[in-house]
Amino acid sequence: MSLFFPTLYRRRITDVTVEDLRRLGAACVLLDVDNTLTTHDAPELEPAVMAWLDAMREEFKLVVVSNNNAERVAPFAEKIGLPYYAHARKPLPFGFCGAAKQMGCGRKQCVVIGDQIFTDILGANLAGMKSILLEPIQFETEQKFIVFKRKIEKPMLNSRKQRARKERDYGER
Ligand SMILES: [Mg+2]
């Protein structure tokens, strides 16, 4: 079960602080795209998210890791000025490991940030990396499989949140 738990829980990417990432020992941050940085139907970043990226890139190496193909990821990554690792096949760990290698970092120095337990968090744990689970920016109602996954994720998320509340540290384990 611990394979499905993130190291930290935060609501939005903009809630993740430099201190959070330092405490996790991050040198490199591996970023999911859909519902983490942006929504499926809005490829533009919110100004607050862009400001967050600009602050974080001063401190850490950042890389976009996506299951989408390079044709979709490359223009987005270029627009926000970040390297990318496409067709990552999350939750398999190889994409995360490949991205870490590409950035010249060991897996212990990597922190994965994403919104899905069954891709981002499971993949990070399988790769031996720390992770931060966000609430998705927007549920993709038209994508039935994702909706199905959310239903399975919900009880896990709820139990995790409850534990986090009890621990009064908002999700650090
Ligand atoms: Mg996502």
Side-chain angles (χ1 to χ4, degrees):
M1 196 56 138
S2 62
L3 277 176
F4 300 106
F5 281 169
T7 321
L8 272 186
Y9 175 89
R10 293 288 181 262
R11 204 167 81 83
R12 292 277 179 263
I13 193 149
T14 47
D15 295 325
V16 177
T17 64
V18 169
E19 288 69 34
D20 286 337
L21 292 168
R22 279 192 192 140
R23 273 193 297 147
L24 298 181
C28 182
V29 183
L30 285 60
L31 297 161
D32 174 49
V33 178
D34 290 331
N35 280 325
T36 293
L37 290 174
T38 184
T39 56
H40 277 294
D41 46 8
E44 298 294 326
L45 284 194
E46 283 177 31
V49 177
M50 198 65 209
W52 183 90
L53 283 177
D54 286 339
M56 293 301 159
R57 76 174 108 216
E58 296 285 313
E59 302 273 338
F60 309 101
K61 292 180 181 179
L62 306 180
V63 56
V64 166
V65 181
S66 172
N67 280 354
N68 279 320
N69 57 34
E71 288 72 31
R72 259 198 79 187
V73 183
F76 175 80
E78 195 175 325
K79 197 158 64 177
I80 62 175
L82 291 183
Y84 67 91
Y85 193 99
H87 204 52
R89 299 174 194 232
K90 298 180 269 185
L92 295 177
F94 313 114
F96 284 144
C97 294
K101 196 173 172 189
Q102 182 180 309
M103 301 306 290
C105 289
R107 57 190 183 171
K108 299 273 179 215
Q109 301 173 292
C110 290
V111 174
V112 172
I113 303 181
D115 68 297
Q116 290 195 53
I117 290 172
F118 291 136
T119 53
D120 306 304
I121 304 310
L122 177 58
N125 286 330
L126 290 173
M129 295 176 182
K130 299 210 168 91
S131 59
I132 301 176
L133 179 66
L134 307 177
E135 288 182 12
I137 296 175
Q138 173 188 296
F139 290 115
E140 310 93 315
T141 47
E142 65 288 325
Q143 296 198 20
K144 286 183 178 163
F145 181 61
I146 294 176
V147 170
F148 171 71
K149 281 200 294 185
R150 297 273 182 239
K151 279 184 182 159
I152 305 174
E153 281 178 353
K154 211 174 171 189
M156 293 189 192
L157 209 51
N158 286 343
S159 80
R160 183 70 198 131
K161 279 184 192 172
Q162 279 171 19
R163 269 182 47 176
R165 254 184 243 125
K166 274 182 202 159
E167 290 162 11
R168 295 183 61 202
D169 67 359
Y170 205 47
E172 192 166 9
R173 75 179 147 134

